[in-house]
């Protein structure tokens, strides 16, 4: 299995975090919904990058370095959050994201490992 980022192996939680934005209880999320969300390569890339390279607790949208309009990226983060795959917190004007790893592992065993091992077609990230 590909190595998880340090913040997922040994998470250190800051004492005070802003409240998470609304997200579903993962027990209510269906596999077909998750698979539909993950059919978009940029969303898989977002999850994979968080899982492999996240040295901090959560990251702002700009951290990902995508050359896409902010509105497009905001939409993808919202879809991931509404599917229950990430949690987002509001820090002033900025939303920061983190994979709900433990919950996703419990609800969908093996999914995190598949995301970590995924390679985009043509070995190019979107």
């Amino acid at each position: 299995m590909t190595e998880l980022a340090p913040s997922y192996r040994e998470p250190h939680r800051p004492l005070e975090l802003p409240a998470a934005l609304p997200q579903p209880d993962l027990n209510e999320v269906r596999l077909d919904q998750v698979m539909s969300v993950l059919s978009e390569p940029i969303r898989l890339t977002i999850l994979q990058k968080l899982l492999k390279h996240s040295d901090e607790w959560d990251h702002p949208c700009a951290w990902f370095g995508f050359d896409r309009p902010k509105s497009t990226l905001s939409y993808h983060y919202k879809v991931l959050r509404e599917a229950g795959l990430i949690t987002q917190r509001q820090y002033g004007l900025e939303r920061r994201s983190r994979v709900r790893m433990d919950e996703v592992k419990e609800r969908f065993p093996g999914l995190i490992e598949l995301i970590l091992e995924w390679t985009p077609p043509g070995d190019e990230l979107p």
Side-chain angles (χ1 to χ4, degrees), residues 30-43:
R30 296 174 17 164
L31 180 61
D32 58 321
Q33 296 168 314
V34 170
M35 298 307 284
S36 176
V37 165
L38 295 179
S39 68
E40 176 58 52
I42 195 165
R43 294 184 200 135

Side-chain angles (χ1 to χ4, degrees), residues 104-116:
V104 172
K105 277 184 156 185
E106 183 178 324
R107 177 74 170 125
F108 303 108
L111 183 61
I112 294 293
E113 291 76 15
L114 289 172
I115 292 168
L116 285 168

